Amino acid sequence: MADPVHFTSQLKELGSDEAEIIFSAKIDAGWHVYSTDLSGGPIPATFNKVKMEGVETVGKLKPRGNEQKTFDKLFGMDVRYFEHTATFVQKVKFTKEKYVIDCYLEYGVCNDEMCMPPSEVAFKKEGKRPTPDPSLLMEGKEDNVKTDTVARVVLAENTDSINNTACTDSTLWVPTPLPQQGAEEGGSLLAIFIAGLLGGFIALLTPCVWPIIPMTVSFFLKRNKGRAKAIREALTYGLSIIIIYVALGLLITLLFGANALNAMSTNAWFNIFFALLLIIFAASFFGAFELTLPSSWSNKIDQKSDRTTGILSIFLMAFTLVLVSFSCTGPIIGFLLVAISTQGNILGPTFGMLGFSIGLAIPFALFALFPSLLKSTPKSGSWMNTIKVVLGFIELAFALKFLSVADLAYGWRLLDREVFLAIWIALFGLLGAYLMGWLRFPHDEPEHRTNVPQFFLGLLSFAFTIYMIPGLWGAPLKAISAFTPPMYTQDYKIIQTTVVEAPFKDYEQGMAFAKEQHKPVIIDFTGFGCVNCRKMEAAVWTDEEVARRLTQDYVLISLYVDDKTPLAQPVEVEINGQKRTLRTVGDKWSYLQATKFGANTQPFYVLLDPQGTPLAPSRSYDEDIQEYINWLDAGLTKYKP
């Protein structure tokens, strides 16, 4: 349950027959509240009267503060909003000796990923007409009598009133715990582990690590006095490498903590920092400079490993490997930690380092156990530098992805989809040219030429480059849709797609139809003023596979939480011990989302069977088309007609 805006309200007397009702907001970072007088776009701030006796409004609701203005392409209009703080003022005039004021401010709030339903902050007060006091005209003086309220929607404790008066089937409104994301998190950790494992194998082939293999073999040949001891020491060596790298992953977790790691996935400045870090790593791989630790560190560790015996000497030998190979493994580890940390998974760094260390430790343990394997390994050469340069291109490509996250978060629009694709096309085209031997870097030998493996890799790079070119004119490019900016940032598209429209906009009617047809249901909690809802519809629902499932396999119900259609009769409900009046259809759907599913942001998608039982975890704003398809298929698999 999001609670990003905190309002206070007060009545400020102006020393005459007039006063001001002031609504002041503190807005959490990343969120914004829309201003007044926005027609046909997002939810504007409006002043609404419930009961006004002995007092009347003067003029319109006025916004105060640092109002931002930008053109929104989805709504095709200029929108105005506030960040961090906002103030809205309604002037009133007293007409009788006694007055009663019962009113509320309605407002819309969004961030870059989701929107809240239309929210309210109430103000109620009654009393006698104030006596003019000249002192109240002094700057900074305010009426000390005020009503503080915080606008929030929380899980309802009692749904009887809404069940009895606002719907036909009360069982559909019973609070329903949604399935947890445990299986998906497990899959994510497995993917992180595999990525780390591949990183470890790649690091083995770099020119900083491969030459250490003979040193390792020499070290263990001098100690090898028996088969059992050789096995024990080789396993100890491999385990020592694993312990060192896993400790690094745990250190990252402890330094940042769970909240910071989760924030990295959307924090713009973290993504900018990581992008710059990857660019530095790429420059190092290209040969601009070497990232090295002080040589005295590795020399001292190496000397201590020679002077000591037993397990400690083996551990110090493993530590020497880590330090000596840092100039090549550092960028790979940095890239892994950057990518893993921004996934927001608290166990990610540990699992990533576990995979990396195992990938690096297995070959060294085998060479320590079977020194004769060294004879069959290829010798160091230019092929190692080729691997470094290829990794440099890949790190540049991923750096652009992190810059794109920051660009979307701040709305700079510097990396629109076609700009992003143009840079990727250039990068992978240059990578193909390098693999073909047409491009050289400082560390490459003068007679740098391509070979058969490089030829086929270059061919793949050129093919990938050609595959991306149609994306400049709006082709979906599903293979890389998770990396590119969303389709709505594309300025020019040849093919115009049609967005799926829900056949039902009423919860009970849609559920009744699903029972008749024996079909599962997808509920789309949305809003007319929800920017990210339109982004999801334009980027995800236009996909042929998604559209087919939404129209043929499911009953789609779209519930607009900002629908202003009045209910036949206002309904008073109790939310967390406080009474609230549901006046519109949108209020009703907002209440349903909060009480049944414990959520209050849009877009919000839920898969149900016709009896209202969840079939899968919920989803919100995420433009990964394949993940959306997998989610829909998971619901179909679980549904039993």
Side-chain angles (χ1 to χ4, degrees):
M1 298 291 292
D3 182 20
V5 184
H6 311 279
F7 262 103
T8 60
S9 57
Q10 64 173 332
L11 183 69
K12 178 182 178 181
E13 298 173 4
L14 299 180
S16 61
D17 289 340
E18 294 183 333
E20 290 179 338
I21 302 175
I22 302 175
F23 301 94
S24 302
K26 290 185 179 180
I27 308 167
D28 290 351
W31 293 81
H32 54 265
V33 171
Y34 289 104
S35 188
T36 59
D37 299 324
L38 300 176
S39 178
I43 302 166
T46 57
F47 180 79
N48 301 270
K49 296 180 285 186
V50 179
K51 185 178 181 181
M52 301 280 281
E53 295 181 357
V55 65
E56 61 184 24
T57 57
V58 178
K60 295 182 177 180
L61 182 71
K62 300 292 184 183
R64 293 179 183 172
N66 184 20
E67 187 179 72
Q68 307 288 323
K69 183 178 181 180
T70 187
F71 181 80
D72 192 298
K73 288 186 177 181
L74 286 175
F75 291 116
M77 60 179 287
D78 289 325
V79 296
R80 293 172 289 108
Y81 57 89
F82 295 92
E83 296 178 335
H84 307 299
T85 60
T87 302
F88 298 96
V89 179
Q90 176 63 58
K91 182 179 283 189
V92 296
K93 183 177 181 179
F94 299 106
T95 58
K96 296 181 180 179
E97 287 300 318
K98 291 185 179 182
Y99 67 88
V100 175
I101 300 176
D102 186 356
C103 60
Y104 63 93
L105 174 79
E106 185 178 73
Y107 62 95
V109 56
C110 295
N111 66 7
D112 292 323
E113 294 186 356
M114 62 189 71
C115 292
M116 300 275 288
S119 303
E120 299 177 4
V121 52
F123 178 79
K124 296 182 181 180
K125 188 175 181 181
E126 57 182 271
K128 291 185 178 181
R129 180 177 185 166
T131 302
D133 185 350
S135 65
L136 292 177
L137 297 177
M138 296 174 59
E139 183 179 357
K141 291 289 185 178
E142 296 182 354
D143 182 4
N144 291 326
V145 182
K146 62 182 180 181
T147 304
D148 291 339
T149 59
V150 178
R152 62 183 56 166
V153 182
V154 291
L155 186 64
E157 296 176 347
N158 188 342
T159 60
D160 290 342
S161 56
I162 187 70
N163 288 340
N164 294 333
T165 59
C167 69
T168 56
D169 186 355
S170 61
T171 60
L172 295 176
W173 288 70
V174 174
T176 307
L178 291 169
Q180 299 299 310
Q181 300 280 356
E184 293 187 8
E185 289 181 4
S188 176
L189 289 175
L190 178 61
I192 290 172
F193 175 82
I194 293 174
L197 191 67
L198 292 176
F201 288 139
I202 292 173
L204 180 71
L205 303 176
T206 58
C208 311
V209 179
W210 192 264
I212 302 177
I213 293 175
M215 183 178 70
T216 299
V217 172
S218 174
F219 175 81
F220 282 98
L221 280 176
K222 290 187 295 184
R223 304 169 56 91
N224 198 348
K225 297 181 179 180
R227 188 64 177 170
K229 183 179 179 182
I231 295 175
R232 185 171 63 252
E233 291 192 345
L235 293 176
T236 302
Y237 183 58
L239 186 61
S240 298
I241 296 174
I242 294 173
I243 290 174
I244 292 169
Y245 280 110
V246 170
L248 176 62
L250 288 173
L251 180 63
I252 294 294
T253 301
L254 293 174
L255 287 177
F256 288 101
N259 293 333
L261 288 178
N262 290 329
M264 286 180 188
S265 60
T266 54
N267 185 279
W269 295 111
F270 268 118
N271 280 277
I272 291 173
F273 170 76
F274 289 152
L276 294 176
L277 192 64
L278 291 181
I279 292 172
I280 293 172
F281 288 158
S284 172
F285 276 152
F286 289 153
F289 49 82
E290 289 288 340
L291 293 173
T292 58
L293 292 174
S295 58
S296 58
W297 293 12
S298 56
N299 291 336
K300 288 180 180 179
I301 297 295
D302 193 23
Q303 292 171 5
K304 288 185 178 180
S305 66
D306 289 336
R307 290 199 299 264
T308 56
T309 58
I311 294 178
L312 179 59
S313 65
I314 298 174
F315 181 82
L316 292 174
M317 182 64 186
F319 208 83
T320 302
L321 165 67
V322 173
L323 294 178
V324 171
S325 63
F326 175 78
S327 60
C328 289
T329 60
I332 298 175
I333 294 170
F335 170 73
L336 284 172
L337 289 176
V338 165
I340 291 167
S341 297
T342 53
Q343 292 183 15
N345 195 320
I346 186 62
L347 296 177
T350 303
F351 270 73
M353 287 299 96
L354 177 63
F356 180 87
S357 59
I358 290 176
L360 189 63
I362 288 176
F364 274 93
L366 289 175
F367 283 122
L369 185 59
F370 305 106
S372 58
L373 290 176
L374 184 63
K375 297 179 182 179
S376 60
T377 59
K379 294 183 178 181
S380 303
S382 61
W383 61 274
M384 291 186 175
N385 188 65
T386 300
I387 292 176
K388 284 182 66 176
V389 173
V390 170
L391 290 176
F393 276 105
I394 293 175
E395 295 211 344
L396 277 183
F398 277 95
L400 200 66
K401 167 61 179 174
F402 291 112
L403 285 177
S404 174
V405 173
D407 181 67
L408 291 170
Y410 280 91
W412 296 329
R413 298 302 297 271
L414 299 175
L415 281 176
D416 285 353
R417 188 172 183 268
E418 60 266 40
V419 176
F420 183 98
L421 287 173
I423 299 175
W424 264 37
I425 288 169
L427 279 175
F428 285 95
L430 289 172
L431 173 58
Y434 174 78
L435 291 170
M436 291 297 183
W438 306 336
L439 182 67
R440 289 207 305 262
F441 283 90
H443 287 174
D444 290 318
E445 298 175 358
E447 63 276 10
H448 171 68
R449 298 174 59 186
T450 189
N451 52 42
V452 175
Q454 287 180 216
F455 172 80
F456 283 108
L457 288 175
L459 188 64
L460 287 175
S461 185
F462 280 132
F464 182 57
T465 301
I466 296 171
Y467 166 80
M468 290 189 288
I469 291 175
L472 297 174
W473 292 275
L477 304 182
K478 295 180 182 179
I480 58 173
S481 60
F483 298 96
T484 59
M487 186 68 75
Y488 75 87
T489 65
Q490 182 100 16
D491 291 324
Y492 180 66
K493 289 177 278 190
I494 294 178
I495 302 174
Q496 298 296 328
T497 52
T498 303
V499 177
V500 174
E501 292 190 10
F504 294 97
K505 294 182 174 61
D506 181 273
Y507 177 53
E508 290 89 357
Q509 291 178 5
M511 295 298 287
F513 180 81
K515 286 183 179 180
E516 293 176 3
Q517 299 296 316
H518 304 289
K519 283 187 174 183
V521 176
I522 175 171
I523 297 183
D524 162 36
F525 286 99
T526 182
F528 297 112
C530 174
V531 176
N532 291 294
C533 301
R534 304 294 86 78
K535 292 179 184 178
M536 284 291 293
E537 292 162 6
V540 180
W541 285 15
T542 53
D543 179 80
E544 291 183 5
E545 291 299 314
V546 173
R548 180 179 63 79
R549 288 164 173 78
L550 293 179
T551 55
Q552 298 180 16
D553 299 331
Y554 282 93
V555 175
L556 176 59
I557 306 173
S558 288
L559 304 179
Y560 289 82
V561 298
D562 54 359
D563 188 339
K564 297 301 181 184
T565 304
L567 293 173
Q569 182 179 355
V571 180
E572 191 172 83
V573 297
E574 189 171 294
I575 304 177
N576 198 34
Q578 298 182 355
K579 291 184 178 181
R580 180 188 169 189
T581 301
L582 308 183
R583 301 180 179 87
T584 66
V585 172
D587 290 342
K588 177 181 175 181
W589 303 143
S590 177
Y591 182 82
L592 169 68
Q593 183 187 3
T595 56
K596 185 173 178 65
F597 303 112
N600 63 341
T601 58
Q602 294 79 44
F604 187 78
Y605 307 102
V606 185
L607 302 181
L608 304 175
D609 66 15
Q611 286 70 43
T613 303
L615 299 173
S618 63
R619 282 188 72 85
S620 53
Y621 178 72
D622 184 353
E623 294 186 22
D624 189 322
I625 295 175
Q626 189 55 52
E627 285 298 319
Y628 203 87
I629 292 174
N630 294 342
W631 175 67
L632 293 173
D633 288 343
L636 292 173
T637 301
K638 189 172 182 181
Y639 175 61
K640 305 296 182 183

